[in-house]
Amino acid sequence: MKLSFIKAIAALCVAVVMAPVQAGTYTQTKYPIVLVHGLFGFDNIGPVEYFYGIPSALRADGAKVYTVQVSAANSTEVRGEQLLTQVKQILAATGASKVNLMGHSHGGPTIRYVASVRPDLVASATSIGGVNKGSAVADIILGIAPPGSLSRAVITSVADGLGTIISFLSGGGSGYPQKSIEAAKSLSTAGTAAFNSRHPQGVPTTACGEGAYSVNGVAYYSWSGGKTYTNVLDIADPALALTGLAFGGAKNDGLVASCATNLGRVIRNDYALNHLDEVNQTVGLTNLFETSPVTLFRQQANRLKNAGL
């Protein structure tokens, strides 16, 4: 009886010692994770991260995480080239041969560009609320601001100025050019269709289906939300509820139709989250009755880990 009790205590001690080790490897992917922001995004402005609370949650369980900054507003190709330069820097600094790219909103097409032109440097591309088949909101902006019009001049001036301010506050200074009208073109239905013809990897061939899970050695994944108003305390939700009307009743996250976010293996495109909730914004004020966005990123890291990525 006494021996059995001692064995039980010993087993408990071993379990206590081993638990932190096991818990600490849940997000430990083989390759570094690189997070890429969307339109008017940033890495961090002071204590506020674009991917709010997500990098630290991933690092806590073993992941190597890098949050990059590209132009807050510019074409997909320009942002993609900026990202490619930083990917090469991350690989040089870490000694890794590839990275796992995760992009939100315009970050979705941005990471796809890098995966397309340099698949040898990319293990996986995960699109979160990615504008992979255009946005009705971008279409409307281009419609009300045609070339040469006063409205385009005003919108472009304000938007470019905002992009410059965001870049400055997040440490980018003047090194990242801002061209909001080029961003709008890239995010429009026509713009994404043209981009997809040049970079089709992972893009579904049906209206709301899945795309190829793996192309040129790169694994493709996506998830997104399908609700616009999710938290009465979030000051951004009313605006997203308004822009969500542009989709004519189709399920959307406020800025992108759910089906238009699909890429590769679709984990889900109907979480009760809006476009900002997908990256745990505004400062964590998301839907209390839906899976936490932080958890979704952790789960994806674990999915990549289990896939040997």
Side-chain angles (χ1 to χ4, degrees), residues 203-226:
V203 178
T205 57
T206 57
C208 201
E210 292 187 301
Y213 285 15
S214 180
V215 184
N216 296 329
V218 180
Y220 287 88
Y221 302 85
S222 63
W223 82 78
S224 64

Side-chain angles (χ1 to χ4, degrees), residues 30-195:
K30 179 179 179 180
Y31 303 108
I33 293 172
V34 179
L35 302 176
V36 184
H37 64 76
L39 181 66
F40 295 123
F42 49 89
D43 47 4
N44 66 280
I45 296 179
V48 179
E49 300 171 298
Y50 180 90
F51 293 90
Y52 191 74
I54 292 167
S56 58
L58 293 173
R59 292 184 184 116
D61 278 338
K64 291 182 179 179
V65 184
Y66 296 84
T67 305
V68 300
Q69 181 185 355
V70 296
S71 287
N74 214 316
S75 70
T76 299
E77 289 82 0
V78 167
R79 286 165 49 97
E81 283 295 323
Q82 293 169 355
L83 173 59
L84 178 56
T85 296
Q86 293 176 73
V87 165
K88 291 177 180 177
Q89 293 170 346
I90 291 169
L91 294 178
T94 61
S97 59
K98 296 183 179 183
V99 293
N100 289 303
L101 297 175
M102 296 187 181
H104 174 246
S105 189
H106 198 179
T110 303
I111 66 171
R112 286 175 48 209
Y113 174 86
V114 176
S116 174
V117 300
R118 289 301 305 269
D120 57 310
L121 303 182
V122 181
S124 70
T126 301
S127 174
I128 302 102
V131 191
N132 295 315
K133 286 194 175 181
S135 169
V137 176
D139 292 342
I140 289 173
I141 291 173
L142 292 176
I144 64 175
S149 66
L150 176 61
S151 56
R152 173 167 289 200
V154 172
I155 291 174
T156 298
S157 178
V158 172
D160 287 354
L162 176 60
T164 300
I165 292 171
I166 291 171
S167 182
F168 176 78
L169 292 177
S170 58
S174 59
Y176 297 102
Q178 310 299 328
K179 295 184 178 181
S180 56
I181 202 65
E182 295 304 317
K185 290 177 182 177
S186 286
L187 298 173
S188 68
T189 302
T192 53
F195 178 80

